[in-house]
Amino acid sequence: MATTETDLTSELQLADLLHRVEALEEAGGKRIEKKNKLTIIAWGGDLDRIWPTTILATTAAASGMESSVFFTFWGLFAIVKPDVRITGSNWMQKMMSMMNPGSAQKAKLSRYQFAGAGPAMFKKLADDRQVARPEELIQTAQDLGVRLIPCQMTMDLLGLQRKDLLDGLEEPIGAATAIAEMRDAAVSLFI
């Protein structure tokens, strides 16, 4: 997966924030015990971001770790129902939903589109090697008890409603609750 300068900046900012929280906890004499837990912030809705997110979340759950994925910004579209196309209440939200295909099944690659052939080739390679597709991994994650959590602020921003999202998800939460999820996790990832 290619890392852009923006991705790196975001990851460094998040790492700095987590480091500062830990430093404050230690300075205050309160050290939070880390749980056997993986928390992933899924902000990218590209196929090559959804795939590792779902693979890591299901692998963690299958190995006995508590696992949660917080879907925000473009990552939220991975958990939109496949038959939902136009969402929102104003023209800008409707345009955003038209430009983003919604659902893991329709996700595009971040690079190498080749007029739509890129994702098809990638899925063919995965099928040939018996790698489950992201939409299957999302269902597996639910079956394994992975907490799949939508971001309320992003839902409001993009005009998505609870009915537009897959069934069986956790109730939407905000950033403060997502950070609390990460705070006690032994492993936190930003994908």
Side-chain angles (χ1 to χ4, degrees), residues 26-105:
E26 288 176 12
K30 294 189 245 174
R31 181 71 182 144
I32 293 177
E33 189 65 34
K34 301 292 183 180
K35 295 181 182 175
N36 185 26
K37 177 178 175 180
L38 167 70
T39 300
I40 300 174
I41 305 297
W43 74 274
D46 297 315
L47 184 60
D48 45 327
R49 291 190 198 278
I50 298 168
W51 224 313
T53 297
T54 54
I55 289 170
L56 290 167
T58 54
T59 301
S63 67
M65 290 182 84
E66 184 181 334
S67 182
S68 63
V69 181
F70 178 65
F71 293 90
T72 189
F73 283 85
W74 307 127
L76 188 60
F77 283 101
I79 55 174
V80 169
K81 291 178 180 173
D83 59 337
V84 172
R85 187 65 188 130
I86 307 295
T87 60
S89 59
N90 62 54
W91 70 270
M92 289 181 284
Q93 291 172 333
K94 291 176 191 277
M95 288 298 294
M96 294 300 282
S97 67
M98 285 177 54
M99 290 186 285
N100 195 307
S103 92
Q105 295 172 0

Side-chain angles (χ1 to χ4, degrees), residues 7 11 14 16 41 73 79 94 132 143 169 178 180:
D7 295 344
E11 289 174 23
L14 183 59
D16 182 54
I41 305 297
F73 283 85
I79 55 174
K94 291 176 191 277
D143 295 344
L169 303 176

Side-chain angles (χ1 to χ4, degrees), residues 17-18 20-37 39 176-188:
L17 175 64
L18 291 173
R20 288 174 192 233
V21 168
E22 288 178 355
L24 286 171
E25 290 167 353
E26 288 176 12
K30 294 189 245 174
R31 181 71 182 144
I32 293 177
E33 189 65 34
K34 301 292 183 180
K35 295 181 182 175
N36 185 26
K37 177 178 175 180
T39 300
T177 308
I179 288 177
E181 281 283 318
M182 296 174 72
R183 190 174 182 189
D184 66 349
V187 180
S188 295

Side-chain angles (χ1 to χ4, degrees), residues 121-137:
M121 289 188 297
F122 205 79
K123 289 176 181 177
K124 171 75 169 107
L125 289 169
D127 287 345
D128 290 351
R129 282 148 188 85
Q130 300 176 347
V131 175
R133 293 188 178 195
E135 61 271 17
E136 297 165 336
L137 289 165

